[in-house]
Amino acid sequence: MFKKIALALAFSPRMEALICESKRLKDLFGSELILIHVGKKTETLEQNLLTILENHQVNLQKVKVFWEDGKPAKKIIQICDRENVDLLVSGALKTEGFFKYYIGSIARKIIRKSKCSVLTLVEPMLAPTSFDKVVINGTQQDQTPHVIERGISWCKLDQAKQVYVVNEIKMYGIQMATAGEGGEQEISSTRRKLVGEEVAYVENILKDIDKGNLRVNVKITCGKWAVELARFSTDFGADLLIVGDEGNLGFLDRLFPHDLEDILSDLPCNLLIIKK
């Protein structure tokens, strides 16, 4: 699924845990591991990195380390493109004084411009475990069938225990307001019809995917999809939320909030953004 996995290193207090998480994924997918640090290379930093890799039995013969100078986001993207990286791993930032995580400006640039998928970890662990409870975005978008297929493949390999595909009823408020003119019976009938249509959309995608022993549940929400997706992930206690990329954003898109920003600004859990 991922032949090359890259980790962006910042020599922060969580660097060791991020390396451990990346090693787990490298072993899980049988991938090559690439480490990228944008900043000055010193003997002390290099020795610290080698010590961490050796302590966690990372095979140095199967790891590439790049030390680069320049603008972090630009250099990381260049290396990922040049090395044909499939998945880039990074850490999220914790807001001071709050149990809240958000993706910083450098990571946002990487997410918008990188060609590879991006995994953001909110609380990387020195002894990482699989993602047991996973939520996949099933909102009707062009990339949704691909996102669901890749998400299910990840869950199968990682042996997830609970998986939900969450879909949203489009224009729920308007449709229910119109139905309200016909009384309670029409409201109930319209609600059942709308839920049935969205369930059918997801199930039509799932029927062509090899799910193995996974039990995949379908959840239907109403409201702004990104907000509802984040809320459900929090209530469910998800370990991982899987969504698709919104594509190349134009100038006006960057001026005004877009759906993915609702998730990036207040991460409910670890986040995997799938790109084709």
Side-chain angles (χ1 to χ4, degrees):
M1 184 172 177
F2 298 111
K3 295 181 180 179
K4 291 187 178 182
I5 296 175
L7 170 63
L9 294 177
F11 286 90
S12 68
R14 298 190 302 165
M15 182 183 74
E16 185 173 2
L18 285 167
I19 289 175
C20 292
E21 294 277 7
S22 299
K23 178 184 182 295
R24 185 187 84 84
L25 296 175
K26 176 188 78 71
D27 294 341
L28 178 67
F29 294 109
S31 311
E32 178 184 343
L33 181 60
I34 295 171
L35 304 178
I36 305 170
H37 175 66
V38 180
K40 186 176 181 180
K41 178 182 179 180
T42 67
E43 289 186 12
T44 300
L45 291 179
E46 186 175 26
Q47 187 55 54
N48 287 346
L49 178 58
L50 289 175
T51 298
I52 292 172
L53 295 176
E54 291 172 355
N55 287 344
H56 294 284
Q57 290 81 50
V58 178
N59 188 343
L60 299 180
Q61 303 301 317
K62 295 186 178 180
V63 176
K64 287 184 179 180
V65 183
F66 291 91
W67 303 80
E68 297 281 344
D69 290 320
K71 295 182 179 180
K74 183 177 181 180
K75 285 294 182 180
I76 291 169
I77 292 171
Q78 286 178 347
I79 293 172
C80 288
D81 288 347
R82 187 174 72 230
E83 296 296 317
N84 295 314
V85 168
D86 303 298
L87 176 67
L88 175 63
V89 180
S90 67
L93 301 173
K94 184 175 180 180
T95 302
E96 189 68 29
F98 296 92
F99 291 104
K100 173 181 174 181
Y101 293 85
Y102 68 96
I103 294 181
S105 60
I106 292 175
R108 276 181 166 81
K109 291 178 182 177
I110 291 171
I111 288 171
R112 288 176 181 143
K113 297 180 180 180
S114 69
K115 298 176 183 176
C116 65
S117 299
V118 181
L119 172 65
T120 300
L121 300 172
V122 297
E123 290 184 346
M125 298 184 292
L126 292 173
T129 59
S130 61
F131 299 119
D132 286 339
K133 302 173 75 173
V134 182
V135 174
I136 303 172
N137 183 26
T139 303
Q140 292 195 36
Q141 298 172 324
D142 292 341
Q143 68 271 30
T144 295
H146 177 70
V147 172
I148 293 177
E149 187 274 326
R150 297 289 277 180
I152 295 297
S153 296
W154 178 299
C155 292
K156 280 174 53 184
L157 195 58
D158 208 23
Q159 298 182 348
K161 293 181 172 60
Q162 293 179 275
V163 181
Y164 271 91
V165 178
V166 179
N167 190 6
E168 169 220 15
I169 298 175
K170 298 287 188 300
M171 297 184 293
Y172 178 79
I174 295 175
Q175 297 191 69
M176 293 308 297
T178 301
E181 298 174 1
E184 288 297 325
Q185 185 173 354
E186 185 173 343
I187 290 174
S188 297
S189 176
T190 299
R191 184 182 291 113
R192 287 194 299 270
K193 176 177 177 292
L194 293 175
V195 171
E197 289 173 349
E198 300 305 336
V199 169
Y201 170 78
V202 175
E203 290 183 341
N204 188 52
I205 296 172
L206 289 173
K207 69 180 176 60
D208 296 322
I209 298 175
D210 180 6
K211 295 177 284 296
N213 295 323
L214 282 180
R215 180 180 177 182
V216 182
N217 305 283
V218 180
K219 172 70 175 179
I220 306 301
T221 66
C222 55
K224 193 173 183 181
W225 73 264
V227 173
E228 294 301 323
L229 194 63
R231 180 179 293 124
F232 177 80
S233 298
T234 299
D235 294 342
F236 176 51
D239 302 310
L240 179 66
L241 170 59
I242 301 176
V243 302
D245 182 30
E246 290 188 316
N248 294 323
L249 298 178
F251 177 72
L252 290 177
D253 294 309
R254 295 195 183 100
L255 289 179
F256 300 101
H258 50 96
D259 289 326
L260 194 54
E261 282 295 328
D262 290 327
I263 296 175
L264 300 184
S265 298
D266 191 0
L267 293 176
C269 59
N270 302 305
L271 176 68
L272 173 63
I273 299 176
I274 296 288
K275 299 197 177 189
K276 290 188 178 180

